[in-house]
Amino acid sequence: GNSVTQMEGPVTLSEEAFLTINCTYTATGYPSLFWYVQYPGEGLQLLLKATKADDKGSNKGFEATYRKETTSFHLEKGSVQVSDSAVYFCALGSQGGSEKLVFGKGTKLTVNP
Amino acid sequence: NAGVTQTPKFQVLKTGQSMTLQCAQDMNHEYMSWYRQDPGMGLRLIHYSVGAGITDQGEVPNGYNVSRSTTEDFPLRLLSAAPSQTSVYFCASSLDGGGSGNTIYFGEGSWLTVV
């Protein structure tokens, strides 16, 4: 079945450091890929998405590229801020009659000033 | 535009009690779902619905019941609460389940403790 594997945290960085959170997936067909972010005490918000191979999703300085050859969708940001502290979830949207998101386990990011 | 509204935000139940988590959306979305979030487990799908009158089981349906009598509402019922159901519950809605790239919108969560 479909699955998502993302790097385990927690990840602790200093402000202005470079961030990479790895995400790989297993799926049949051509899924859509998402990154969701959950700030403390809140629900999940869509951060970015990509719907086909080689697409790059971007938002708030974050980027991720849909790599079909490596089945990956790694999240990157060049310079993190304290306000980026949150839990990040990689997710896969399957197709073919059973459309529902499959989530990774989440990666907690803490950015220190 | 309220989006997805969940109530209650916090609830403490005794083992064996029943309760209903309410979820409503005002975006005319056909697809609604319930997830539970547990430490180190990510989000796991409990039940989902692809339209009024249609529901189906997700990954962890046992101990939960749902119905979808209207497009707007998708309540989640705990039939006989158990400590293993202590979790944070999220309701979500979207035009579809995410396979076409449409955004899934989440409620703010319901923190449930079963003692």
Side-chain angles (χ1 to χ4, degrees):
Chain A
N2 296 340
S3 66
V4 172
T5 303
Q6 64 180 100
M7 66 182 283
E8 295 191 17
V11 175
T12 303
L13 296 174
S14 298
E15 207 164 23
E16 299 184 3
F18 184 85
L19 169 70
T20 298
I21 301 177
N22 290 337
C23 173
T24 58
Y25 68 90
T26 301
T28 56
Y30 301 94
S32 297
L33 299 172
F34 305 81
W35 277 101
Y36 277 83
V37 58
Q38 183 181 30
Y39 298 104
E42 299 184 10
L44 277 72
Q45 305 172 24
L46 178 67
L47 180 59
L48 52 84
K49 66 181 179 183
T51 58
K52 60 183 186 296
D54 299 326
D55 267 1
K56 177 185 284 188
S58 61
N59 185 25
K60 299 181 180 180
F62 291 89
E63 293 182 341
T65 301
Y66 188 163
R67 301 287 189 198
K68 191 165 176 63
E69 64 275 14
T70 55
T71 61
S72 65
F73 193 55
H74 303 322
L75 183 69
E76 297 182 335
K77 186 173 185 181
S79 176
V80 293
Q81 305 300 311
V82 173
S83 57
D84 294 326
S85 297
V87 181
Y88 293 82
F89 292 92
C90 185
L92 178 155
S94 62
Q95 294 179 317
S98 182
E99 296 192 355
K100 49 190 178 289
L101 280 186
V102 174
F103 285 88
K105 293 185 177 181
T107 302
K108 183 176 181 179
L109 170 67
T110 301
V111 181
N112 295 318
Chain B
N1 190 348
V4 179
T5 303
Q6 288 180 235
T7 56
K9 193 169 180 72
F10 299 98
Q11 184 72 48
V12 178
L13 284 179
K14 294 183 178 179
T15 297
Q17 285 185 319
S18 63
M19 77 158 296
T20 299
L21 299 176
Q22 302 290 344
C23 177
Q25 53 90 10
D26 61 359
M27 295 173 282
N28 203 31
H29 286 164
E30 290 295 325
Y31 191 97
M32 296 186 73
S33 52
W34 278 100
Y35 291 86
R36 60 177 288 173
Q37 182 180 25
D38 302 292
M41 301 293 290
L43 277 77
R44 293 181 292 171
L45 183 66
I46 304 172
H47 285 284
Y48 66 100
S49 168
V50 299
I54 306 170
T55 63
D56 205 348
Q57 296 181 350
E59 181 184 354
V60 288
N62 292 340
Y64 306 95
N65 200 3
V66 293
S67 60
R68 185 92 179 271
S69 56
T70 66
T71 298
E72 293 78 20
D73 300 299
F74 190 47
L76 178 73
R77 297 181 186 84
L78 280 70
L79 308 173
S80 177
S84 61
Q85 294 179 302
T86 294
S87 187
V88 183
Y89 293 84
F90 288 99
C91 180
S93 78
S94 64
L95 288 173
D96 59 32
S100 301
N102 286 307
T103 300
I104 294 185
Y105 296 87
F106 286 83
E108 294 187 345
S110 296
W111 275 254
L112 176 66
T113 302
V114 182
V115 297

